[in-house]
Each structure stands twice: as structure tokens, then as C-alpha cells.
Amino acid sequence: MKGTDVIWLRVAFLFFAFMCANHALAQTIKVIVDQDARGPATTDMQSILIFLQSDKFDVLGITTVSGDQWVKEETERTLRLLEIAGRTDVPVAEGAEFPLLNSKEESERWEALYGKFRYKGCWSDFSKLPEATSPGFREGYHDPEVIPPLLEGAPHTKPLDETAAHFIVRMVHQHPGEVVVWAGGPLTNIALALRLDPQLATLAKELVLMGSGMYANNGGISGIDGRREFNWWFDPEAVRIAMRAPWKKITITPIDISVKTVVNPAVQAAIRQADTPVARYLTQFSVESFMWDELSAAAMVDPSIITAQKQLYVDIDVDHGPSYGETLFWEAGTDVAPYERIATVQFDVDTQKLYDLYVKLMTRPPRPARLASGVRLQVQ
């Protein structure tokens, strides 16, 4: 074979590989991951890892929002996670530092009137937890501008010079009808993006979120009342804005189904067997806990994990009294106001299928990084 023939053969092969890669990318789900990324290795971070490790997603970016921790600390932890996972190609946009109206002071006023909350996220002081608790879960309260030393190490990368709300709007306009907005924390960024551009809801493909509670007697932040779930209680006004927007489709993972799952010792042991950066990170920092956000993300990878779901109108109580932040819901077919939106709400799960998928993803080698053209390149 002549030298020129070899060259042309190589060119043809590269072109074929390029076309195959673009075709594969076209089959993936374009997703923005909006997360109150408490770290290290919490349900927040583990759900981000599902999106990063699965071939099913083209992660357009990760947006952070105050909730489980303050947003500046979360942003640093997210950047560090991307370094560990070998995915610094994924941009991070820092989002809202405070809820639209709710506040630490208002939560304390509510507690003085109606009773104590068991969990308040970044407004909590976890330093009093037993010493046997993992150090990553015993952080004391600090002001929003403070970034404590990170157990997993400080990142070397920086977030975008763009707010989360602007990034969400820009991505949805760049890919109209294709982007799933997935939210695993308070909906402040989503509400702000909707106020920037009301077209966001109709231009997006779907809103998928972990939050709310309907019938559960476990998982809520105020005793047995499962209707007051943390993500929605932290910024109820943002939920009101987001849930009344005209999305094409809304899918919700409530605490009713999350509390049926757990990162259990068998799952942890299986991950411990893998010698990858992600597996080592999880082995060092993760603890046994409900798979709140992991379940919501995993169900996007394999919808058959969900074995029962229901169509419900879902909203939230924003009356600043005893019911503030509680989920409101009505059966499909109920005569409700025209601004109420129907959502697909998940209620049961094949836990073994969930655990198997989670272990498979968390023990994979790092995924290839994504070039600006959209083609993925394996970094050796």
C-alpha cells in the first residue's frame, strides 16, 4: 500500500470515528445539574457522580446553590470533585447564596413558635454530633463567606464568571427543547432563571427534581411530618415560582421513595474493591445514608428502577405560619386553579437494581473528557 493510501485511510478512519462520536453524543441527555453540593461524598456529591460517570448524559454544567452548605463552600467542593473524577471539562457556575425570602433568623422565629427543626442545612451547627461521626459530617456553623479547609483537598480550578441563573438560561437557549434541568437542592437558581427569562420553562425539555414529601412519616425536618422536606422548605417561594411555570414535563423524587433506599454496607464494600479515584473518594468519605439524590439521578439512567409513580398536582405552602414550607398536592382530576401543574411523582423503587447500577457507575474508570466540539477524548 502506498504512503498516500495509508494517509487517506487514516483520515477516513478518523472521520468515521468523529462521526460515530458525534452520533453517540447526540443520543445522550443534555443535562444541567443544579445542586446544593454539600461535601465530601454526601448524597449531593454522589448524585453528581452518577451524572459524570454515566454514558447517558452530556453534562452541560453544574450549578451550585446554598442549602445543605453555603454556596461558596459547595462550589469549591464541586470543583474538587470534578478534579477527582477527571471531569474538569464540565463547567461550574456559582448560584444563589440566600433563599428569596426565607432566612436563618426566620427559621429561628418559627422554631420559637412551633417547635425545633431536626435539620437546617447551612444554618445548622453539626460540631456537636458524636465523635464517631465522620469528620466530613461534623462541620460547625460558619458565615456564608467562610470556606473552611476541605478534607478532600482544595481545588486548582475556578468556576465560570457567570451566575448560575444566567448559565441555565444561556444553555437552554443554546439547546432549545433538549435540556433537562435537574435540581437536587433548593430551587432558588431555577426561580431566578425563570425571572430572568420566563421562556425557560417552555424551551427546556423537562424539569426533574428531588424534593417535597407527600405521605411519608420519615425524612422530613420536623419530626414525623414528611410534608416539610428540606430542599423545598429552605426556599418555599422559589418552589412556588418553579412549580407554577409551564414546563413541558415535571418529574419529582419525593422523600416518600428516597427513604426506602440506603447506601448500605454491602454497597460500600463493593465500591471499596475498586481502585479508582472516585471509589477511593467514596471509600474515604461516604457514610451510610438514604439515597435521596442518587435515586433521582439513577432513575434518569434507568427509568425501570422506579416501579410505581403517580400523577399529582404539586405546590407548596408559602403562608409564613405553622404550615410554611409544607408540600401541597392534589390527585389528578381534582378541580384546581389553572396555575397548578401536574407532575409525575415517584413512589416505589427496585432497590437491588438501584444498588447494582450505583456500584457499577461508582467503580468505573474516569469517563473521557469532552472537547469543545462535543467529541469526547480519553485522557491517557
Side-chain angles (χ1 to χ4, degrees):
M1 186 179 292
K2 295 180 180 179
T4 53
D5 293 334
V6 172
I7 291 172
W8 280 111
L9 186 61
R10 287 176 177 173
V11 169
F13 175 79
L14 289 172
F15 178 76
F16 177 75
F18 177 83
M19 294 302 294
C20 287
N22 272 340
H23 177 73
L25 192 64
Q27 306 308 309
T28 59
I29 299 171
K30 290 182 173 61
V31 63
I32 296 169
V33 178
D34 187 70
Q35 184 60 278
D36 58 336
R38 182 184 179 191
T42 62
T43 182
D44 306 326
M45 294 306 193
Q46 289 164 187
S47 63
I48 291 174
L49 284 171
I50 287 175
F51 288 109
L52 296 177
Q53 294 285 100
S54 172
D55 295 328
K56 192 161 184 177
F57 302 107
D58 180 17
V59 182
L60 300 178
I62 299 169
T63 52
T64 55
V65 61
S66 285
D68 285 330
Q69 284 173 332
W70 291 113
V71 71
K72 285 184 169 56
E73 178 180 350
E74 293 172 352
T75 301
E76 292 292 289
R77 293 189 183 277
T78 302
L79 291 168
R80 180 59 184 145
L81 181 73
L82 292 172
E83 292 177 352
I84 292 168
R87 293 302 308 277
T88 54
D89 57 299
V90 176
V92 175
E94 188 167 285
E97 188 165 83
F98 299 104
L100 299 183
L101 286 179
N102 200 11
S103 66
K104 183 175 183 292
E105 293 73 25
E106 175 146 359
S107 75
E108 291 166 352
R109 182 197 68 85
W110 192 99
E111 288 179 299
L113 292 171
Y114 307 114
K116 289 290 183 182
F117 293 120
R118 298 188 298 178
Y119 179 80
K120 298 201 297 180
C122 61
W123 299 334
S124 302
D125 181 356
F126 300 109
S127 64
K128 306 294 192 299
L129 292 176
E131 288 190 11
T133 306
S134 170
F137 293 77
R138 284 195 284 116
E139 187 172 274
Y141 175 78
H142 61 77
D143 289 336
E145 305 303 309
V146 172
I147 300 174
L150 307 187
L151 292 172
E152 63 272 41
H156 303 285
T157 51
K158 301 293 182 185
L160 297 175
D161 186 18
E162 181 178 26
T163 69
H166 284 92
F167 176 82
I168 292 168
V169 170
R170 179 166 65 86
M171 287 296 100
V172 170
H173 274 270
Q174 193 170 314
H175 307 281
E178 298 181 57
V179 179
V180 174
V181 179
W182 182 91
L187 301 186
T188 318
N189 289 338
I190 312 301
L192 292 172
L194 286 164
R195 285 298 183 252
L196 282 172
D197 182 7
Q199 283 189 303
L200 172 70
T202 53
L203 285 175
K205 182 178 181 180
E206 184 180 358
L207 175 67
V208 180
L209 55 92
M210 189 278 136
S212 77
M214 282 74 180
Y215 310 104
N217 60 5
N218 190 12
I221 62 171
S222 53
I224 62 172
D225 182 7
R227 291 174 60 196
R228 183 174 282 110
E229 179 272 333
F230 173 76
N231 284 347
W232 280 31
W233 163 83
F234 191 79
D235 194 344
E237 284 75 21
V239 175
R240 172 63 63 89
I241 292 170
M243 289 304 297
R244 292 189 177 185
W247 305 93
K248 294 186 181 77
K249 183 180 180 183
I250 302 173
T251 301
I252 299 175
T253 306
I255 59 175
D256 301 66
I257 184 174
S258 299
V259 297
K260 299 179 181 183
T261 68
V262 65
V263 178
N264 56 65
V267 168
Q268 292 175 313
I271 292 172
R272 197 179 303 123
Q273 300 304 310
D275 186 26
T276 66
V278 164
R280 291 195 295 269
Y281 167 81
L282 294 174
T283 296
Q284 183 175 1
F285 297 115
S286 71
V287 299
E288 190 172 338
S289 64
F290 293 132
M291 300 179 75
W292 312 96
D293 298 359
E294 300 97 322
L295 172 57
S296 183
M300 287 186 63
V301 180
D302 181 1
S304 71
I305 286 172
I306 304 302
T307 58
Q309 54 191 23
K310 200 172 185 178
Q311 299 294 108
L312 295 171
Y313 292 101
V314 186
D315 206 334
I316 195 164
D317 196 321
V318 294
D319 179 18
H320 287 242
S323 59
Y324 184 54
E326 287 192 351
T327 306
L328 303 173
F329 62 100
W330 303 266
E331 297 282 340
T334 304
D335 185 16
V336 297
Y339 47 72
E340 301 295 353
R341 304 293 175 184
I342 202 80
T344 300
V345 184
Q346 301 163 346
F347 279 106
D348 215 344
V349 55
D350 184 332
T351 54
Q352 192 56 54
K353 188 174 284 190
L354 168 66
Y355 300 151
D356 290 345
L357 175 62
Y358 180 70
V359 169
K360 177 182 176 183
L361 292 176
M362 295 306 105
T363 55
R364 275 184 176 177
R367 279 190 70 199
R370 178 164 52 88
L371 297 175
S373 64
V375 177
R376 296 191 180 278
L377 172 69
Q378 179 66 59
V379 179
Q380 299 298 326

